[in-house]
């Protein structure tokens, strides 16, 4: 995690410029249709704060955190939100959120700890709470620019979710990166917490 944090701390401005203005409405839609108006959302690994700001601006109560101190500071300034500095490994909320948004963040979770982190997300959701997670499409663990990437395909995603009796998969779909210059594909997962 230290190398990854250093990467984002050193290149936070380039990361911001590359991500903040990306149109994500095609991904927001499926997530938001299940949430109560004005509900409480947690943005895990919020990066530039783009998504947290969008949710705030349409009337949701938003908490957000990121592991890069520089991104946290920059996102605070851009969004006006009290974004926290912490890791998804440190999530300890219980029955607090109507929705949890983990867009392009859990892809930096060690594969051996994915079950642990998803359990933390499940615990943090209210009953009938919705979780969105996205991973780069693939099946490998790989290093790129000092960052660990845990890629997921459909089989691995279903195997991951099979570890949880109170999570139901609502939608599993693949999308091309919303940044026009990128050719990568993403695996998107939308789940609901059941009683």
């Amino acid at each position: 995690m230290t190398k990854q944090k250093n990467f984002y701390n050193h290149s936070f401005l380039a990361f911001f410029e590359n991500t903040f203005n990306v149109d994500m409405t095609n991904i927001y839609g499926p997530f938001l249709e299940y949430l109560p108006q004005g509900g409480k959302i947690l943005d895990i690994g919020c990066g530039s704060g783009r998504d947290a700001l969008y949710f705030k601006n349409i009337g949701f109560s938003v908490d957000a955190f990121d592991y890069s101190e520089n991104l946290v500071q920059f996102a605070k300034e851009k969004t006006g939100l009290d974004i926290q500095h912490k890791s998804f490994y440190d999530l300890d909320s219980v029955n607090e959120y109507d929705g949890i948004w983990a867009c392009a963040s859990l892809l930096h979770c060690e594969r051996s700890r994915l079950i642990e982190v998803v359990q933390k997300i499940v615990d943090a959701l209210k009953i009938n709470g919705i979780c969105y997670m996205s991973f780069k499409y693939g099946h490998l663990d790989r290093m790129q620019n000092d960052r660990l990437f845990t890629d997921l395909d459909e089989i691995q995603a279903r195997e991951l979710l099979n570890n949880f009796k109170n999570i139901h998969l609502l939608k599993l779909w693949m999308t091309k990166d919303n940044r026009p210059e990128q050719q990568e594909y993403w695996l998107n997962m939308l789940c609901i917490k059941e009683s």
Side-chain angles (χ1 to χ4, degrees), residues 28-75:
Y28 295 147
F31 175 67
L32 293 173
E33 74 176 81
Y34 290 96
L35 296 185
Q37 185 58 42
K40 190 171 184 182
I41 294 175
L42 173 64
D43 186 349
I44 292 178
C46 66
S48 64
R50 172 197 64 207
D51 303 331
L53 180 61
Y54 178 86
F55 298 142
K56 171 190 166 187
N57 285 344
I58 61 171
F60 288 92
S61 170
V62 182
D63 290 341
F65 66 78
D66 199 273
Y67 194 52
S68 161
E69 296 95 340
N70 288 352
L71 273 173
V72 166
Q73 190 56 43
F74 204 67

Side-chain angles (χ1 to χ4, degrees), residues 130-148:
I130 301 297
C131 174
Y132 168 80
M133 300 176 275
S134 65
F135 296 82
K136 290 191 178 187
Y137 187 80
H139 61 278
L140 301 175
D141 301 341
R142 56 191 172 83
M143 292 297 294
Q144 181 180 336
N145 298 326
D146 286 332
R147 294 176 294 168
L148 166 71

